[in-house]
Amino acid sequence: MMKFFPYLVSFLIFSAFMAAIGVEASAATNSARSPWNSLGGVITTDPTVIRNSDGRLEVFARGTDNALWHIWQTAPNDGWSDWSSLGGTITSNIAVERNANGRLEAFVRGGDNALWHIWQTGQGNRWSGWDSLGGVITTDPTVIKNVDGSLEVFARGTDNALWHRWQTGSNTWSSWSSFGGTITSNIAVERNPDGRLEAFVRGGDNALWHIWQTVPGNGWSSWSSLGGTITTDPTVVLSPGRLEVFVRGGDNALWHIWQTGSNTWSSWSSFGGTITSNIAVERIPADGRLEAFVRGGDNALWHIWQTARNDGWANWGSLGGVITSNIAVASNADGRLEAFVRGTDNALWHIWQTAPLAPWY
């Protein structure tokens, strides 16, 4: 028996060694299977994502030098460029929209608190220099496309009122014009099913207020309150046939309200949850259902989605991660949703669906 003892000891040591390797390999495999992926960079604002006219996603953020930086898919649905600077001096998050001819145009608040913009001069990655649209703005700018393709920009002025400016030609703009009101948030704007723009803000009473075009492209109503108690910027999205607005309530849960007619609205309804960010909402291209994304109390990415168009919602689900920004979400050219956040290392991180209507990982 004793002469076999050294072999037994050797076998046990070898087995322990192999088990340790197995544990390490398993940990490495689990790490490799992590759904989150870094796109690097060091960003100091929330990310903003938009899809180019050719289907490629492009993400914008401010860098540590206060300039505008961007990174883009090198082909629709896959592959990313290196980070590239567009210069400028930025003191806000970035708003980006596609012009009527498909060129991207980005809007920021500059170091002088005026509205500045820069735009693609052609397909690909050619951009203009920076140009000022003046004004003195005290929120992030918000940009949207009118029914005729012209861009319109909204921001709060020094008087806390809502101001806007709009394109009058391919690169000519109106003067600034005020809607009045008392605003305590950034502005959310969306196009109604009939093409009329509608803007939503948190008012001085912390309720949701809105104002809307009376005809597509021209003429605006007076302000009207939709009530509620709001503790974030509102988020509005066009669901099939109606607008729907999402906010965090005084209880830190997710609340929403939706149109029941051309200018009639539901009562407020809660999804519960514990939210520590603004709300990002995207419409799923394949079937029109909405999906909402937030940072939870654990700083992970949480989402909730409609189980049918305009009706029924799932329970909350976690996508993990550790997030230090609001969330940006867009749909890829193939219909897969993709979410972008700033991580604890201040880099840009992203997570995506594995296929349209499929799980995220």
Side-chain angles (χ1 to χ4, degrees), residues 338-349:
E338 192 156 348
F340 300 83
V341 303
R342 184 181 61 206
T344 54
D345 58 356
N346 293 324
L348 179 67
W349 288 76

Side-chain angles (χ1 to χ4, degrees), residues 39 47 92 166 200 238 252 288:
L39 288 170
S92 71
W166 58 94
F200 300 83
L238 178 61
N252 293 326

Side-chain angles (χ1 to χ4, degrees), residues 16 22 31 38-39 75 90 95 164 169 202 212 260 268 277 314 332 337 350:
S31 175
S38 176
L39 288 170
I90 301 171
H164 68 140
R202 183 180 62 202
W212 57 91
T260 55
W268 284 97
S277 71
N332 276 281
L337 298 186
H350 65 142

Side-chain angles (χ1 to χ4, degrees), residues 211-299:
I211 192 170
W212 57 91
Q213 286 178 333
T214 52
V215 294
N218 196 19
W220 287 80
S221 70
S222 301
W223 285 100
S224 178
S225 176
L226 289 170
T229 303
I230 304 172
T231 58
T232 57
D233 298 333
T235 297
V236 59
V237 65
L238 178 61
S239 186
R242 71 187 194 192
L243 297 184
E244 193 155 348
V245 182
F246 298 79
V247 301
R248 184 182 65 190
D251 58 356
N252 293 326
L254 178 61
W255 289 77
H256 68 139
I257 191 170
W258 58 92
Q259 285 177 328
T260 55
S262 61
N263 198 31
T264 57
W265 289 78
S266 71
S267 300
W268 284 97
S269 178
S270 175
F271 291 119
T274 303
I275 301 171
T276 60
S277 71
N278 288 326
I279 299 97
V281 185
E282 185 70 13
R283 192 166 68 183
I284 301 169
D287 57 14
R289 291 179 299 117
L290 299 184
E291 191 157 348
F293 302 80
V294 302
R295 183 180 62 200
D298 59 355
N299 293 324

Side-chain angles (χ1 to χ4, degrees), residues 36-335:
W36 286 95
N37 185 265
S38 176
L39 288 170
V42 181
I43 63 176
T44 59
T45 58
D46 298 332
T48 297
V49 60
I50 191 169
R51 202 166 71 211
N52 276 279
S53 57
D54 62 4
R56 294 175 301 109
L57 296 184
E58 191 155 348
V59 182
F60 298 80
R62 183 181 65 189
T64 54
D65 57 356
N66 293 325
L68 179 62
W69 288 75
H70 64 143
I71 190 171
W72 57 92
Q73 286 179 330
T74 53
N77 309 315
D78 192 28
W80 288 84
S81 70
D82 294 326
W83 283 95
S84 178
S85 175
L86 291 170
T89 302
I90 301 171
T91 60
S92 71
N93 287 313
I94 299 98
V96 187
E97 182 58 278
R98 284 203 302 262
N99 273 284
N101 60 8
R103 293 176 299 109
L104 298 186
E105 190 154 350
F107 299 82
V108 303
R109 183 180 61 205
D112 57 357
N113 293 324
L115 178 67
W116 288 77
H117 66 141
I118 191 170
W119 57 92
Q120 286 177 331
T121 55
Q123 297 298 323
N125 196 30
R126 297 187 299 275
W127 287 78
S128 70
W130 284 97
D131 180 66
S132 176
L133 289 171
V136 182
I137 64 176
T138 59
T139 58
D140 298 337
T142 298
V143 61
I144 193 169
K145 193 184 302 179
N146 270 289
V147 68
D148 64 359
S150 64
L151 300 185
E152 192 155 349
V153 183
F154 299 78
R156 183 181 65 189
T158 55
D159 57 357
N160 293 326
L162 178 61
W163 289 76
H164 68 140
R165 192 170 186 180
W166 58 94
Q167 283 179 329
T168 55
S170 61
N171 199 28
T172 58
W173 289 78
S174 72
S175 300
W176 284 98
S177 178
S178 175
F179 290 121
T182 302
I183 301 171
T184 60
S185 70
N186 287 311
I187 299 99
V189 187
E190 185 56 276
R191 266 205 324 261
N192 273 281
D194 62 5
R196 294 176 300 111
L197 297 186
E198 193 153 349
F200 300 83
V201 302
R202 183 180 62 202
D205 58 357
N206 292 324
L208 180 66
W209 288 76
H210 65 142
I211 192 170
W212 57 91
Q213 286 178 333
T214 52
V215 294
N218 196 19
W220 287 80
S221 70
S222 301
W223 285 100
S224 178
S225 176
L226 289 170
T229 303
I230 304 172
T231 58
T232 57
D233 298 333
T235 297
V236 59
V237 65
L238 178 61
S239 186
R242 71 187 194 192
L243 297 184
E244 193 155 348
V245 182
F246 298 79
V247 301
R248 184 182 65 190
D251 58 356
N252 293 326
L254 178 61
W255 289 77
H256 68 139
I257 191 170
W258 58 92
Q259 285 177 328
T260 55
S262 61
N263 198 31
T264 57
W265 289 78
S266 71
S267 300
W268 284 97
S269 178
S270 175
F271 291 119
T274 303
I275 301 171
T276 60
S277 71
N278 288 326
I279 299 97
V281 185
E282 185 70 13
R283 192 166 68 183
I284 301 169
D287 57 14
R289 291 179 299 117
L290 299 184
E291 191 157 348
F293 302 80
V294 302
R295 183 180 62 200
D298 59 355
N299 293 324
L301 178 62
W302 288 77
H303 64 143
I304 192 169
W305 56 94
Q306 286 179 326
T307 54
R309 288 200 317 172
N310 293 336
D311 189 29
W313 288 78
N315 295 321
W316 285 101
S318 176
L319 292 171
V322 183
I323 302 172
T324 62
S325 70
N326 290 312
I327 301 110
V329 183
S331 58
N332 276 281
D334 61 6

